[in-house]
Structures are given as structure tokens and as C-alpha cells.
């Protein structure tokens, strides 16, 4: 067992947990694709709520076409970008301000999807992309950090190809 403090445990007193026990804690029947990923890889790279659950829930209600070019805005440690490339054959630009592009590119290469995912260091209000560069644009538990007002969607929309849209996923607050 590893001495880690995974989801639901007191961080002050880490309790040993087996790989199987962690996998059971992270398994959700509604997210079969996410369940296939190494739970320690997810835990080691978390920056908020479970990112694969968020992206898989968005993909369940979004029509994606293999080979589409996607902007993953506020991608954190690029887990969602890797997921989109692996699971749906998408070409992804993993853009984040808080995580260095070189760090994300190393994760992307280790995941074996460097041919489909590129990491970019970008500030959401000064995006370095040409107009109509992307098919869908996704933002998973990040949009609320850089949206000052409703006008941001107009700014972001310039990066979309005609006929495509944004996909935003935020975790629900507990009742």
C-alpha cells in the first residue's frame, strides 16, 4: 500500500491504501472510459475535481468527430486533453496559464499522445490563436476563473470554426 491521502481521507494523517481500494473509490458506472485510467495518475495530477469525470460527462452530451481540432482551455495538467485524444481521436491544444507548457508536454509524451496533443502556455484574455482555429472549445472546471463578464464568450468565439460551439463543464455544488 502507498502512504497517500486520496479522496475522502484526512490529509493530516495519511492512511495506507491499496491500488485496488483507490480504484474502487474512483470507479463510477456512469464514467466507463474514466474508470480505465490509472487512479494514481489521476490523483497525482489533480488540480480540482476529478477532471476525467467532467470531460466524460461533457462528451456524453456533445457530438465529437474524430480528427476535430479542440482547444482545451484551462486544461490544468492536461489530463482532459490526453483523454480527448485517446478516447475520441481528437487533435487537442492543451492551453493553460498556471502549468508550464513543458511540464504538460512531458505528461502528454508519457501518455503516448504527443502526435495529437500540444501544450501551450496561454492567458485566456490574450489567446495566441488565429480566428477559426478550432472546432469545439472545451473548458472543464476552469472557465469561472477567467471569465470577467458575458463579453468573454464573444472574444472566445472568434477562435471557433463556423458551426461549432463551446463546451463548458463545472462540478455541481453539493446540496
Amino acid at each position: 500500500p502507498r502512504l497517500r491521502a486520496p479522496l475522502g481521507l484526512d490529509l493530516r494523517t495519511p492512511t495506507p491504501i491499496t491500488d485496488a481500494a483507490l480504484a474502487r473509490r474512483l470507479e463510477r458506472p456512469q464514467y466507463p472510459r474514466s474508470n480505465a485510467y490509472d487512479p494514481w495518475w489521476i490523483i497525482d495530477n489533480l488540480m480540482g475535481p476529478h477532471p476525467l469525470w467532467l470531460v466524460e460527462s461533457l462528451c456524453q452530451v456533445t457530438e465529437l468527430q474524430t480528427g476535430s481540432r479542440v482547444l482545451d482551455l484551462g486544461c490544468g495538467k492536461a489530463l482532459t486533453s490526453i483523454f480527448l485524444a485517446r478516447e475520441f481521436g481528437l487533435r487537442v491544444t492543451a492551453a493553460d496559464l498556471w502549468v508550464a507548457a513543458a511540464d504538460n508536454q512531458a505528461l502528454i509524451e508519457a501518455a503516448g499522445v504527443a502526435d495529437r496533443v500540444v501544450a501551450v502556455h496561454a492567458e485566456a484574455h490574450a489567446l495566441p490563436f488565429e480566428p477559426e482555429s478550432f472546432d469545439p472549445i472545451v473548458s472543464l472546471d476552469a472557465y469561472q476563473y477567467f471569465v470577467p463578464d458575458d463579453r468573454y464568450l464573444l472574444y472566445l468565439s472568434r477562435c471557433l470554426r463556423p458551426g461549432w460551439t463551446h463546451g463548458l463543464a463545472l462540478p455541481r455544488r453539493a446540496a
Side-chain angles (χ1 to χ4, degrees):
R2 298 185 192 200
L3 288 176
R4 302 271 184 117
L7 306 175
L9 297 179
D10 185 347
L11 293 173
R12 294 167 293 185
T13 56
T15 303
I17 187 168
T18 65
D19 294 348
L22 180 60
R24 281 191 304 276
R25 283 179 182 251
L26 294 182
E27 188 172 323
R28 298 291 182 277
Q30 66 269 37
Y31 305 124
R33 292 174 187 252
S34 297
N35 293 338
Y37 285 76
D38 176 11
W40 288 111
W41 180 73
I42 295 165
I43 294 293
D44 288 342
N45 293 293
L46 280 178
M47 290 184 70
H50 195 308
L52 300 188
W53 292 347
L54 290 173
V55 70
E56 188 165 357
S57 67
L58 180 64
C59 291
Q60 290 169 355
V61 297
T62 305
E63 199 170 308
L64 300 170
Q65 298 172 7
T66 300
S68 293
R69 181 140 185 233
V70 178
L71 172 59
D72 186 357
L73 186 58
C75 69
K77 292 190 176 179
L79 302 186
T80 52
S81 302
I82 292 165
F83 181 90
L84 290 167
R86 275 188 175 168
E87 300 300 321
F88 297 98
L90 304 175
R91 295 176 299 135
V92 184
T93 298
D96 200 83
L97 176 64
W98 296 344
V99 179
D103 294 343
N104 273 346
Q105 200 62 48
L107 279 170
I108 291 162
E109 289 171 13
V113 292
D115 61 327
R116 290 170 279 159
V117 183
V118 63
V120 174
H121 185 259
E123 203 286 321
H125 301 96
L127 295 174
F129 310 117
E130 295 293 320
E132 299 182 8
S133 295
F134 300 101
D135 298 323
I137 295 175
V138 300
S139 184
L140 304 142
D141 189 35
Y143 190 75
Q144 70 274 20
Y145 295 112
F146 47 76
V147 177
D149 57 43
D150 293 340
R151 293 176 293 189
Y152 185 75
L153 276 178
L154 292 174
Y155 167 74
L156 188 58
S157 293
R158 73 175 182 76
C159 294
L160 281 172
R161 290 185 181 153
W164 288 91
T165 190
H166 309 285
L168 308 174
L170 302 170
R172 276 192 327 198
R173 297 181 81 151

